[in-house]
Amino acid sequence: MSQPDVSRTGAEATDEIVVSPREVRRIAGAAFVGTALEWYDYFLFGTAAALVFNRLFFSELDPTAAILASLATFGVGFAARPIGAFVFGVLGDRIGRRPTLILTIVLIGLATGLIGVLPTYADIGIIAPAALVALRLFQGLAVGGEWGGATTIAIEHAPIKQRARYAALVQVGSPVGTLMSSGAIALVLLFPPETFDAWAWRLPFLAAFPLLGIALWIRMKVEESPIFEDLVKAGDRAKVPAAQVFTRAGGRLAVATMAAFLGVGGFYVMNTFVVSYTANTLGLDRQIAVNATLVAAVAQIVVILLCGRLAERVGPGRVTFWGGLATAAAAWPLFLLIDTGSPFAIVFAVTAGIALLTITYAVTGALLSELFPPELRYSGVSLGYNIAGALSGFLPFIATWMISLSGESVSWPAVLILAVVALITAAGGFIGERLRVQDKEIVRSSH
């Protein structure tokens, strides 16, 4: 990739607007809060898929098949995300970042809340899992447009040299969403098992309705991106921006997908897969892995904030490269610890693994946003991230399936998957940083 495959010079004049620091912090904070509530909804489904949906929505299957069906339902949401990225990318680059983000928050909040009132297989038979899949699809469609929009509106209010820190602030929404969802599940797991299965599991999903009201109020106060407003005035909006990402910036889209792969896929290996594996394969208390994700979420927040600042010094691509290599090297030792069955070892391994892959996740927004010009940015960032998400969603299913084929309670498939994903992301970071440097040289020479 010696030459970039998308011209950026036409958009560079509008790629930084002067906004007061106070306004930048307010917009970034609003993007963070809304995203945290979105990820609460999305992660909640993953935890429930690992712990309860197999028994309540796929009870006609044998235990192993029920677990696989539940994890496959979890993966369906990821398959829908690129479609959502395309649709909401077009809306975000055509009608604006703000109205699109309001729409995504409403869709995901409603879908999550309705899961909380959904009858189970024992109540309505096959309609129950079908309805669960449909609601998961709506979740996936909405999330497909959420993260890219939140990142775009945050960095487009920020000075170019400080974009990495504000993009990282949006990323903090992920561990906060994890804390909220895992915390909610941990609380309802305190009920007796029969009470949890009967109705208590519904409470975290029903909480999505009041949380939607909070998120909607916050999003309504967010102002439109000044860079988008300049694009409207200049008449630089693409007709079908998401399609032009493929035709004008296909190589960059591939790099963006590679760079985002570990932050999404690795997380679900260390979170959703480990929760299911420890509870269903190793036969351990469900609370152990859930508690591990809570500790890991706190570590994530620290790593994200530190790496956001580091990316401003050395570049987000380099940080992605280093984080990918470190995670690949640690994959085998981490799962050796998990296989011991020791609660302390599991908490340590999950925390360390998620902290390592978060090095790349922390700077994903900063790297992806610099790969695309403003008129394609919402679409490009959303598509890159969510194609990675679509590839990632079935990783817990694949790892569980491979273990079932081996007939042994060992986690080598997860080791292999995590290491390969990490190396792909390291390559994406390396190429992405070269493209960033090349773009800056082109802009410098044009001036």
Side-chain angles (χ1 to χ4, degrees), residues 57-58 60 73 76 118-121 124-138:
F57 290 89
F58 303 97
E60 81 282 10
T73 303
V76 163
L118 193 63
T120 65
Y121 186 88
I124 58 173
I126 195 65
I127 297 175
L132 184 67
V133 170
L135 290 173
R136 180 60 172 174
L137 281 171
F138 276 107

Side-chain angles (χ1 to χ4, degrees), residues 84-109:
F86 190 98
V87 172
F88 291 112
V90 170
L91 294 176
D93 283 327
R94 287 292 302 172
I95 69 172
R97 302 5 178 165
R98 179 180 179 272
T100 306
L101 284 171
I102 291 172
L103 180 58
T104 60
I105 199 80
V106 170
L107 286 177
I108 195 170

Side-chain angles (χ1 to χ4, degrees), residues 149-363:
T151 298
T152 297
I153 203 167
I155 67 103
E156 287 187 345
H157 280 87
I160 286 180
K161 292 182 179 180
Q162 295 181 353
R163 281 181 171 177
R165 72 182 65 180
Y166 289 109
L169 183 59
V170 175
Q171 300 297 71
V172 174
S174 173
V176 170
T178 301
L179 282 171
M180 293 168 61
S181 60
S182 295
I185 289 290
L187 286 174
V188 294
L189 279 173
L190 296 175
F191 286 98
E194 59 276 10
T195 304
F196 176 78
D197 285 357
W199 56 266
W201 70 270
R202 298 180 182 276
L203 298 179
F205 287 93
L206 293 174
F209 288 127
L211 290 176
L212 170 60
I214 296 171
L216 188 58
W217 176 71
I218 291 170
R219 284 279 162 89
M220 293 293 288
K221 297 175 70 175
V222 171
E223 295 179 5
E224 183 57 88
S225 158
I227 290 177
F228 177 78
E229 290 177 340
D230 266 22
L231 287 173
V232 173
K233 292 175 184 175
D236 281 345
R237 285 177 295 172
K239 290 184 178 180
V240 188
Q244 291 193 27
V245 170
F246 289 95
T247 58
R248 289 175 52 191
R252 288 169 181 263
L253 178 60
V255 172
T257 302
M258 292 167 63
F261 200 11
L262 177 60
V264 186
F267 177 83
Y268 288 108
V269 172
M270 293 303 303
N271 185 316
T272 302
F273 167 76
V274 171
V275 170
S276 176
Y277 177 71
T278 55
N280 299 308
T281 303
L282 299 183
L284 302 175
D285 189 323
R286 296 175 293 182
Q287 195 78 42
I288 295 171
V290 173
N291 290 343
T293 63
L294 289 170
V295 177
V298 176
Q300 267 192 294
I301 295 172
V302 177
V303 173
I304 288 172
L305 295 176
L306 290 176
C307 289
R309 292 300 184 97
L310 179 62
E312 293 178 355
R313 294 177 176 271
V314 303
R318 288 191 181 92
V319 175
T320 300
F321 177 69
W322 296 336
L325 291 183
T327 306
W332 185 54
L334 290 173
F335 277 96
L336 278 180
L337 289 172
I338 291 170
D339 282 336
T340 65
S342 163
F344 177 80
I346 291 171
V347 172
F348 177 82
V350 170
T351 301
I354 290 180
L356 285 172
L357 64 89
T358 298
I359 295 172
T360 67
Y361 183 74
V363 299

